[in-house]
Amino acid sequence: MKEQKRIAILFGGCSPEYGVSLQSARAVIDHMDKKKYEPVPIGITHTGDWFYYTGDTEKIADDSWCGEKACIPVTVSLNRGERSLLLRRENAAFGRNAGRMGGAACGENAGCTGGVERLEIDAVFPILHGRNGEDGTVQGLFELAGIPVAGCGVLSSALCMDKDRAHRMVREAGVRVPDSCVCSRGTDLHTICRQAEKIGYPLFVKPVKAGSSYGITKVSDESGLQRAVNLAFAYDERIIVEECISGFEVGCAILGTEKLMVGEVDEIELAEGFFDFTEKYTLKTSAIHVPARIPEETADRIKETAKIIYRALDCRHFARVDMFLTDEGEIVFNEVNTIPGFTAHSRFPNMMKAAGLSFEEIISAVLEEAL
């Protein structure tokens, strides 16, 4: 039987979306095809400490994973060609076959020097949402080390995290984007107010680089602008003041690089407000419909537009493309999520499920793209 491929699953991270990452990572590890792949869980704490985690996935989900017995300090070997993680143990005396989930091998496929142990991996799957994981930083680390990365690369990850630059690229590709302006920290409120008046109320104030609707406010008039600006600047050095698009949000899950598979279009139904962090993870006053309640011809146009956006931003392997469908039937770009939620209830797997792929098949397809 062909040996399993070792896949490092990164979770946690220095991001406000740390908790979401834990849920996604637990689901990915539990649903991996263990005949083909051996998961190597790598947890990153809030403060940026990296550990090889050997415990149960339940403790990842409830954030009790980081303990002495189940955690071994780990870093990445930057020697290209090694494709290794370096584990730091106090006593490096391990058997020839100790290198699966219970502990790394110190024999045929791994090397020990003093208290450092080398664990070879075949690829890495970052399940790190938001800053310091979805923005190209981690992707650059592993590309420097010569280790294949599942998901978008450095350029596309960085572009998609930057709302301003993503909008510029997509506009160049011929897709409508919301009218907006970008302001840096230190811009006086009077200037921001003038720009907001040109765009028109209601509008959104957002950090340029943030995920899961962190720091976003819908502003109905000038009286709410100051507070919205202060909140957005708490998450980034630049903010974007953006047109509010009438209609509703639709999304497309995409798998592939050259040949693309697009899941069924989904639709977000809102009772009020916008699809903020609370609504994304509780659906208290909203609902997600898969497939979207739209004509087939409209769904086909949305899928084709999503592919144009995906390619314009140099995406690969997988991503979720979010758009708006206006009351007049026009498609407007919103954003691309390069590491979307990966729980069994998340939008990406549900769109693919509606197109005929199980959760296990989605994960395998992503990993095959990387390998």
Side-chain angles (χ1 to χ4, degrees):
M1 179 184 289
K2 188 177 180 181
E3 186 177 342
Q4 298 163 295
K5 298 290 186 180
R6 276 202 188 108
I7 310 296
I9 307 293
L10 304 188
F11 65 88
C14 305
S15 164
E17 297 175 71
Y18 171 92
V20 181
S21 170
L22 302 185
Q23 304 303 318
S24 292
R26 188 259 180 100
V28 167
I29 294 168
D30 287 350
H31 287 86
M32 287 175 71
D33 184 346
K34 303 304 191 300
K35 293 180 181 178
K36 293 181 179 179
Y37 311 108
E38 177 193 351
V40 178
I42 304 298
I44 305 172
T45 67
H46 280 296
T47 54
D49 296 319
W50 289 43
F51 295 98
Y52 170 39
Y53 174 67
T54 61
D56 297 332
T57 56
E58 290 179 6
K59 292 189 175 182
I60 295 176
D62 66 17
D63 196 17
S64 61
W65 65 273
C66 193
E68 290 184 13
K69 292 183 179 180
C71 290
I72 303 163
V74 65
T75 189
V76 182
S77 171
L78 295 180
N79 293 333
R80 293 185 68 85
E82 282 189 5
R83 293 188 176 182
S84 297
L85 301 173
L86 302 178
L87 311 182
R88 304 198 307 274
R89 295 186 192 259
E90 291 183 5
N91 298 306
F94 308 100
R96 176 187 180 93
N97 296 315
R100 297 302 160 184
M101 284 304 294
C106 189
E108 184 174 57
N109 294 318
C112 291
T113 306
V116 177
E117 183 185 329
R118 183 165 57 85
L119 172 62
E120 294 180 4
I121 58 174
D122 296 286
V124 60
F125 191 175
I127 311 294
L128 300 170
H129 304 307
R131 190 185 294 272
N132 298 313
E134 199 173 348
D135 55 6
T137 50
V138 162
Q139 291 77 7
L141 170 66
F142 284 97
E143 289 190 19
L144 183 66
I147 299 172
V149 179
C152 292
V154 175
L155 176 61
S156 55
S157 298
L159 279 175
C160 292
M161 181 59 71
D162 189 309
K163 294 178 177 65
D164 176 40
R165 289 177 172 83
H167 281 196
R168 295 186 191 194
M169 294 292 291
V170 171
R171 184 189 293 116
E172 285 294 316
V175 178
R176 182 186 162 191
V177 303
D179 188 17
S180 65
C181 71
V182 174
C183 302
S184 300
R185 188 182 297 280
T187 304
D188 63 90
L189 185 63
H190 180 66
T191 300
I192 298 174
C193 285
R194 289 206 315 269
Q195 296 292 341
E197 287 172 5
K198 291 179 183 178
I199 294 169
Y201 294 97
L203 50 77
F204 285 96
V205 178
K206 308 177 179 181
V208 169
K209 298 178 183 178
S212 284
S213 300
Y214 281 104
I216 296 179
T217 307
K218 186 175 182 179
V219 181
S220 300
D221 54 50
E222 187 176 319
S223 65
L225 199 58
Q226 177 74 75
R227 183 176 179 182
V229 166
N230 291 343
L231 177 63
F233 275 131
Y235 288 89
D236 196 15
E237 293 298 307
R238 294 188 302 144
I239 64 171
I240 185 167
V241 180
E242 186 178 287
E243 173 189 7
C244 178
I245 302 296
S246 64
F248 55 89
E249 188 173 337
V250 292
C252 277
I254 300 182
L255 279 173
T257 303
E258 298 300 325
K259 184 178 180 180
L260 304 182
M261 176 182 178
V262 183
E264 289 299 325
V265 177
D266 78 354
E267 167 199 347
I268 297 172
E269 180 186 12
L270 291 174
E272 57 185 26
F274 68 100
F275 205 49
D276 60 10
F277 180 85
T278 300
E279 284 301 326
K280 285 182 179 181
Y281 297 105
T282 66
L283 298 179
K284 286 183 177 180
T285 64
S286 58
I288 299 176
H289 301 279
V290 188
R293 301 170 299 174
I294 56 178
E296 184 177 350
E297 178 273 332
T298 304
D300 289 341
R301 285 197 296 119
I302 290 170
K303 290 177 184 179
E304 290 304 311
T305 304
K307 289 193 283 188
I308 291 170
I309 294 167
Y310 188 88
R311 291 192 167 109
L313 293 171
D314 198 36
C315 296
R316 71 181 189 195
H317 302 175
F318 72 97
R320 193 189 74 228
V321 181
D322 295 338
M323 297 154 283
F324 298 106
L325 182 64
T326 71
D327 299 333
E328 296 73 35
E330 188 176 12
I331 299 165
V332 184
F333 174 59
N334 182 20
E335 63 181 1
V336 172
N337 195 321
T338 55
I339 306 180
F342 258 97
T343 71
H345 305 292
S346 298
R347 293 175 66 194
F348 186 96
N350 280 333
M351 283 189 272
M352 282 298 175
K353 181 181 179 180
L357 280 189
S358 69
F359 200 0
E360 290 80 0
E361 289 171 329
I362 295 167
I363 295 167
S364 292
V366 169
L367 294 176
E368 287 305 310
E369 284 282 334
L371 293 165

